[in-house]
Amino acid sequence: MPNWIQTITNSRFWKSFFRHGWPDNPLDRSLVMSSNIFFHLHPVKVSRKSLRATYSFGLGVIALICFGLLSLTGLLLMFYYTPTIERAYTYILTLQTQVPFGQLLRNMHRWAAHLMVIVVVLHLARVFYTGAYKPPREFNWVIGVILLLLTLAASFTGYLLPWDQLAFWAITVGTSVAGYAPGAGPTLRIFLLGGTEVGQEALTRFYALHVMLVPMGILLLTSVHLWRVRKDGGLAANQSDAEDR
Ligand code: HEM
């Protein structure tokens, strides 16, 4: 290693930032990974196979980016929307025609939601086809299934909020179908609608579920999901192809 690099890495200034020497040996390379807030999400050693773009297609990460974008655009949409049956539709029209970039904001939220549903399903398929659901990842598979259901729940509850004809009848049909589910069906229908038909109570409940309960659930379970990926030794390719490291 050149002398000037040695001087820098031995200085107190460098050591106060980086708690390791120059990464030209296995120990310092692993310290780079474990002592950095961004790198520590990855295992110290990863296989070449798991780094190939075609292994995971980054689908989990894309789902995460969609969720971030939805949270941001959703928060901005809340500035212009109130969940009352008299005014919700007017607010949406005003947002699209009077608010600068309002139409763009609404479309970004809508398209990110469609994309997230597609991407999460593709992510599930990728995990299945690479056999990444097998032990010790079976727990994370179950967390994933709940995340898929929550993603669908976010889409469904968001659909009612514009309070247009499409929304009204889609939710009328959707909640009627839910009502026919064996056992909990009728109770679920009453829980969602706050009564027997789609009205103000339903809009209030769908709004609360859409902006608070479902996103909080996704946030919490995504944290557990990513923590589990890390604790299970990174992507499954790390174990299945150890000789490839
Ligand atoms: C909100 C939805 C979801 C998000 C944000 C998410 C995020 C992620 C991320 C970032 C990874 C690591 C990198 C990658 O594979 O791209 C991952 C891995 C994984 N996910 Fe998801 N995921 C979601 C839904 C699901 C679903 C629906 C399933 C299956 C039912 C699932 C099962 C798994 C498993 C088993 C792994 C480990 C894969 C391996 O070791 O190769 N996830 N997820």
Side-chain angles (χ1 to χ4, degrees):
M1 186 198 309
N3 273 351
W4 64 272
I5 291 185
Q6 223 160 7
T7 317
I8 292 174
T9 53
N10 283 336
S11 69
R12 277 183 72 157
F13 181 71
W14 174 276
K15 283 184 177 161
S16 66
F17 266 118
F18 305 105
R19 309 291 161 100
H20 53 77
W22 192 252
D24 57 359
N25 58 75
L27 175 65
D28 282 318
R29 280 194 196 122
S30 54
L31 284 173
V32 168
M33 297 303 288
S34 57
S35 63
N36 181 297
I37 186 163
F38 300 109
F39 292 158
H40 93 280
L41 292 172
H42 299 280
V44 167
K45 279 187 174 184
V46 292
S47 75
R48 276 177 207 281
K49 190 176 170 187
S50 75
L51 290 176
R52 255 180 243 150
T54 49
Y55 177 72
S56 71
F57 294 98
L59 290 165
V61 176
I62 299 174
L64 207 59
I65 294 171
C66 285
F67 180 64
L69 195 61
L70 283 163
S71 308
L72 189 71
T73 51
L75 194 73
L76 293 175
L77 284 173
M78 283 172 77
F79 286 13
Y80 295 103
Y81 177 83
T82 314
T84 61
I85 55 172
E86 294 83 18
R87 306 192 65 180
Y89 183 59
T90 324
Y91 276 118
I92 296 289
L93 290 186
T94 312
L95 171 79
Q96 293 202 162
T97 53
Q98 315 284 318
V99 178
F101 301 107
Q103 174 116 39
L104 177 70
L105 185 64
R106 188 179 174 207
N107 282 343
M108 279 174 74
H109 195 72
R110 237 185 145 84
W111 285 101
H114 294 326
L115 187 67
M116 183 164 169
V117 172
I118 295 168
V119 164
V120 170
V121 171
L122 290 177
H123 173 58
L124 180 148
R126 188 289 285 176
V127 169
F128 182 76
Y129 284 119
T130 54
Y133 56 84
K134 293 178 195 163
R137 294 179 177 74
E138 71 278 35
F139 177 73
N140 222 10
W141 172 265
V142 175
I143 299 278
V145 172
I146 303 173
L147 277 172
L148 172 68
L149 295 178
L150 284 175
T151 306
L152 296 177
S155 259
F156 184 65
T157 50
Y159 212 76
L160 182 65
L161 305 187
W163 200 253
D164 51 12
Q165 283 294 314
L166 191 64
F168 183 86
W169 291 109
I171 301 306
T172 304
V173 173
T175 48
S176 300
V177 173
Y180 285 104
T187 319
L188 178 67
R189 183 157 180 265
I190 299 285
F191 167 77
L192 284 175
L193 296 182
T196 50
E197 52 193 48
V198 180
Q200 179 59 59
E201 287 74 18
L203 185 58
T204 308
R205 287 182 181 210
F206 272 58
Y207 184 67
L209 286 167
H210 186 75
V211 305
M212 193 46 89
L213 211 62
V214 176
M216 282 297 158
I218 295 182
L219 188 67
L220 185 75
L221 286 183
T222 303
S223 314
V224 178
H225 194 61
L226 296 181
W227 174 76
R228 258 326 329 154
V229 171
R230 178 70 182 82
K231 289 287 162 192
D232 291 338
L235 295 189
N238 277 351
Q239 272 94 56
S240 63
D241 210 355
E243 75 281 359
D244 193 26
R245 279 173 203 186

